């Protein structure tokens, strides 16, 4: 898709505003929405580079409060190590997210994530399995992050299976997403997919992402979250089918 610089800049700003709003409402979705929409007119590697700063700041914000941060980090430490190892290993083997195959994988990942969300599936992770389950879930999440730039699977289903309270879950997702963002940035840098120009483009996207997150937080008080989640997952499914089908059929 050929776009003028002005059109591309405007469209990218709108994407991060929308992605931030989704994150404000349901606590996740900024990288998923931004990667899905940006990949419609740019490569996955370019899209992944643009989301680094907005994702890092919004997820670090979500990782509070500091009073419970140390305890949560101890509980999820193995998972964070797995995320880093999986992301860097995937970046070393496959390179930065790039090419038609990465777009197709991203589309299939979005369809799978949407199916999981629409079905309302939940996993239960007994406490005795956390010692090995966390690193495995982290490594798989890291590998998918390296392939697609999206780091919700299987991290979010795993974290939901730990039986946390709502605020604990939000914090846990913020920690894991922050780790994934940093690991992705390092993976892109080591594979040549993240340069100074990408950082310059990522920084301005922080403002619309934050504005969207504030708006989404306010919207959460008025809109039934269950309804929003259904619309969100249905939209992701359609985007995923389009992205994967476009590459697989071509």
């Amino acid at each position: 898709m050929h776009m003028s610089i002005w059109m591309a800049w405007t469209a990218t700003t709108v994407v991060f505003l929308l992605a931030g709003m989704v994150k404000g409402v349901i606590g996740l979705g900024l990288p998923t929405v931004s990667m899905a929409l940006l990949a419609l007119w740019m490569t996955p590697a370019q899209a992944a580079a643009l989301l680094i700063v907005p994702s890092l700041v919004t997820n670090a914000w979500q990782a509070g409060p500091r009073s419970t941060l140390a305890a949560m980090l101890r509980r999820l430490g193995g998972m964070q190590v797995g995320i880093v190892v999986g992301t860097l290993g995937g970046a070393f083997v496959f390179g930065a997210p790039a090419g038609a195959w990465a777009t197709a994988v991203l589309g299939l990942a979005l369809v799978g994530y949407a199916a999981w969300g629409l079905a309302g599936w939940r996993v239960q992770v007994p406490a005795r399995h956390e010692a090995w389950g966390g690193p495995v879930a982290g490594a798989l999440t890291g590998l998918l992050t390296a392939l697609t730039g999206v780091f919700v699977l299987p991290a979010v289903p795993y974290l939901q299976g730990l039986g946390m309270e709502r605020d604990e879950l939000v914090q846990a997702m913020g920690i894991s997403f922050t780790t994934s963002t940093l690991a992705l940035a390092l993976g892109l840098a080591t594979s040549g997919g993240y340069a100074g120009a990408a950082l310059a483009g990522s920084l301005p996207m922080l403002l619309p992402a934050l504005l969207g997150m504030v708006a989404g937080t306010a919207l959460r008080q008025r809109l039934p979250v269950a309804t929003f989640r259904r619309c969100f997952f249905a939209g992701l499914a359609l985007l995923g089918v389009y992205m994967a089908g476009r590459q697989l059929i071509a």
Side-chain angles (χ1 to χ4, degrees):
M1 180 183 298
H2 299 287
M3 303 176 68
S4 68
I5 295 178
W6 174 248
M7 288 179 60
W9 182 267
T10 301
T12 302
T13 301
V14 172
V15 165
F16 277 99
L17 184 66
L18 175 62
M21 185 177 298
V22 171
K23 183 175 180 64
V25 173
I26 63 176
L28 56 95
L30 189 146
T32 310
V33 172
S34 56
M35 283 294 297
L37 295 178
L38 292 175
L40 294 176
W41 72 84
M42 64 178 67
T43 67
Q46 291 173 317
L50 282 177
L51 71 84
I52 294 297
V53 173
S55 180
L56 179 61
V57 173
T58 56
N59 287 318
W61 178 3
Q62 184 179 331
R66 285 183 291 179
S67 60
T68 58
L69 182 59
M72 188 63 72
L73 284 172
R74 285 193 295 271
R75 182 177 185 182
L76 301 178
M79 181 182 182
Q80 307 316 300
V81 172
I83 288 173
V84 173
V85 171
T87 304
L88 296 183
F92 177 77
V93 174
F94 301 106
W101 66 273
T103 302
V105 171
L106 174 56
L108 293 174
L110 291 177
V111 172
Y113 179 40
W116 165 80
L118 289 171
W121 292 329
R122 295 290 184 270
V123 295
Q124 298 296 325
V125 181
R128 65 182 183 277
H129 294 324
E130 288 187 40
W132 66 266
V136 171
L140 292 174
T141 299
L143 180 60
L144 194 59
T145 298
L147 288 171
T148 69
V150 174
F151 34 78
V152 295
L153 290 175
V156 173
Y158 172 79
L159 292 173
Q160 288 184 323
L162 297 179
M164 297 179 179
E165 298 295 331
R166 182 182 181 279
D167 290 343
E168 291 177 321
L169 178 60
V170 169
Q171 182 178 46
M173 289 193 299
I175 291 171
S176 296
F177 295 164
T178 299
T179 301
S180 292
T181 303
L182 291 171
L184 177 61
L186 184 57
L188 287 168
T190 56
S191 62
Y194 193 62
L199 178 61
S202 183
L203 279 171
M205 294 301 107
L206 176 59
L207 180 58
L210 289 175
L211 290 175
M213 193 170 177
V214 171
T217 302
L219 181 61
R220 184 169 58 197
Q221 310 302 320
R222 299 178 175 84
L223 181 70
V225 175
T227 300
F228 185 89
R229 286 178 65 88
R230 284 194 295 270
C231 295
F232 168 63
F233 285 122
L236 284 186
L238 292 174
L239 273 172
V241 169
Y242 170 74
M243 293 170 63
R246 182 181 61 177
Q247 299 300 333
L248 295 174
I249 295 174

